[in-house]
Amino acid sequence: MTPTDLPPVRTTRPRVHFAPRSNWMNDPNGLVFHDGLYHLYFQYNPHGVEHANLSWGHATSTDLARWTEHDPAILWDDDAQIFSGSVVVDHGNTSGFGTAERPPLVALYTAAAPGHQAQALAYSTDGGYVWTKYDGNPVLDRGTSDFRDPKVFRYDDGGDGYWVMVAVEAQDRQVLFHRSDDLKTWTFLSSYGPAGPVGGVWECPDMFPLAVDGDDDDVRWVLLISLNPGGIAGGSGTHYVVGDFDGTTFRASVPHPVPTRALLREGSQSRDELERYGWIDFGPDCYAGVTFDGLSRGERTLIAWMDNWKYAGRIPTDDSEEHRSAMTLPRRLSLTRDEAGVERLRQQPAVALEPRGSTDLSGVAGGVALAEGAGAVRISVAATFGDAQSVELRIDSTSDDGVVIRQDRASGRIELVRAGAGMPSGFRGSSSMALERRDEIRWDLWIDDLNERVSSVELFAQNGERVLTALIPVASLRTYTVTAVGGTLQEARADVAEP
């Protein structure tokens, strides 16, 4: 198997996101950059569009924009389904599965059977296409039913270093840290949690170092934890914690409150409480995001599943559709420190579309049409409020059941209101996020049709410190119209780009 054995994934829908040719897909797994290729593995059903027979699908890219899909990498069997996990390049051949000259790729994943989940291993010596399950599986077994989603990385202790596995006891809302010298034998280090958002089970952790504002002498560790339900927008969501890791223990810079037993049992947290925590995304459709192994610290890149467990198995509503779900845009991550000294995660799209034109919105009253038609589009809006009370971008503005993105000057919030026509229950509603700079409008908006029924919106604001991702229905006639409400905008322009 080579990267050129299969033709590229469809180029019509979606245009700037990865989706498999067919069948069910959910969490990204095993993201790794190796020999000039980005490898994306993912939860996949080789036999249909329902969440079953979970295996690892596989795709590769040279630029994170165009993907080549390959045969499934690791298949389920009668003993276990292949749940989420990670891949590392074993450069030192610590596992003994390759050689120093040809280091193996090693996958750690959850072998999931009814009532039992443990961590297992597979390896590849051909660059990630053919995988062999290890005869000694499982390599880490706690004898529990919800121990899953291992993310493995190499920790530099100033000597030879060692491997660290970050996994979860999902129902207990705990992140568990283990270490290994050979990827096959693991010993317990410490745990984190329960703390902070605990409205659902914890899943798909990741942890990595980032330099604050690019200063290599000021490095913090970022811990990602996905939870379902209990996300900031309802249903699935992913939050982050910034802190320090000494090779054994993770300690948050600002410790989150420890929940009571009643809260863990009931799982209900108010919006005001959830707003206190860091979130990868404030929309409903960004879950289980993890980052690539094999890239430098300054190139840390995340991809997430663009869906929500509230309705993922019912979109599109017709089971005859050839595939379900897509991945988010790949996002470059960085850390910044605000005026209060709080470290905040920033995300920027790791792909680019060059603008084809610019529209001056300064002093314009009423709506201005920026583009029309289906497909993919990137719209960037930059302005100050002037005397306008709010600014709106309407998608499918000819319909009363369209989508509205609104930034309100008084509240300092961006809100996305989406339609629910033709969509299952739990889909219709709104999502919002608070901004610190209320007078500024800085939107980087990406829209892409995933199939004939569903499109996606990813909105990056406040220099990537606030991101909102949502699926929306595809309409037969689409327009993009910007309107200043209650006055006019100043120093305002909109740029439009298409692939």
Side-chain angles (χ1 to χ4, degrees), residues 298-320:
E299 297 176 303
R300 179 66 58 173
T301 303
L302 173 141
I303 291 178
W305 179 44
M306 197 157 52
D307 218 320
N308 192 307
W309 281 116
K310 289 172 62 177
Y311 40 70
R314 295 174 291 151
I315 296 179
T317 53
D318 183 356
D319 280 346
S320 67

Side-chain angles (χ1 to χ4, degrees), residues 142-331:
R142 289 169 51 86
T144 58
S145 60
D146 294 285
F147 176 45
R148 57 179 178 265
D149 306 342
K151 185 60 163 49
V152 176
F153 61 89
R154 188 76 179 171
Y155 180 76
D156 181 4
D157 63 350
D160 293 333
Y162 50 88
W163 300 104
V164 173
M165 177 193 293
V166 187
V168 293
E169 278 288 357
Q171 293 286 350
D172 295 340
R173 281 79 141 190
Q174 279 196 318
V175 178
L176 304 181
F177 301 91
H178 292 78
R179 67 165 286 173
S180 175
D181 292 321
D182 61 4
L183 294 167
K184 295 178 286 190
T185 302
W186 295 88
T187 57
F188 178 75
L189 291 173
S190 64
S191 65
Y192 170 84
V198 293
V201 297
W202 282 10
E203 297 187 312
C204 303
D206 194 356
M207 193 172 74
F208 45 85
L210 288 177
V212 181
D213 292 317
D215 183 357
D216 288 332
D217 293 325
D218 187 4
V219 174
R220 296 290 182 270
W221 286 77
V222 179
L223 174 63
L224 307 183
I225 303 170
S226 292
L227 70 158
N228 176 61
I232 187 73
S236 311
T238 301
H239 80 102
Y240 71 89
V241 188
V242 180
D244 293 298
F245 181 66
D246 61 5
T248 299
T249 304
F250 174 82
R251 293 180 176 85
S253 298
V254 180
H256 290 345
V258 176
T260 63
R261 291 184 179 180
L263 178 56
L264 285 173
R265 184 172 58 252
E266 298 166 2
S268 178
Q269 291 174 290
S270 69
R271 174 71 188 219
D272 286 345
E273 182 176 359
L274 293 177
E275 291 265 9
R276 301 170 192 167
Y277 306 123
W279 295 91
I280 286 286
D281 199 290
F282 288 83
D285 296 307
C286 178
Y287 190 64
V290 289
T291 63
F292 281 87
D293 184 71
L295 295 174
S296 68
R297 182 184 298 161
E299 297 176 303
R300 179 66 58 173
T301 303
L302 173 141
I303 291 178
W305 179 44
M306 197 157 52
D307 218 320
N308 192 307
W309 281 116
K310 289 172 62 177
Y311 40 70
R314 295 174 291 151
I315 296 179
T317 53
D318 183 356
D319 280 346
S320 67
E321 293 288 343
E322 60 183 6
H323 73 95
R324 295 194 192 274
S325 297
M327 295 300 180
T328 65
L329 288 172
R331 304 171 180 186

Side-chain angles (χ1 to χ4, degrees), residues 75-133:
L75 288 170
W76 71 291
D77 55 33
D78 291 339
D79 294 326
Q81 297 189 68
I82 313 301
F83 276 19
S84 292
S86 56
V87 169
V88 294
V89 184
D90 185 11
H91 288 291
N93 193 33
T94 62
S95 62
F97 295 127
T99 65
E101 294 75 24
R102 294 182 61 84
L105 298 184
V106 178
L108 279 300
Y109 61 88
T110 299
H116 183 231
Q117 294 180 1
Q119 311 324 311
L121 180 154
Y123 60 91
S124 171
T125 57
D126 71 345
Y129 301 95
V130 176
W131 290 83
T132 302
K133 295 176 183 176

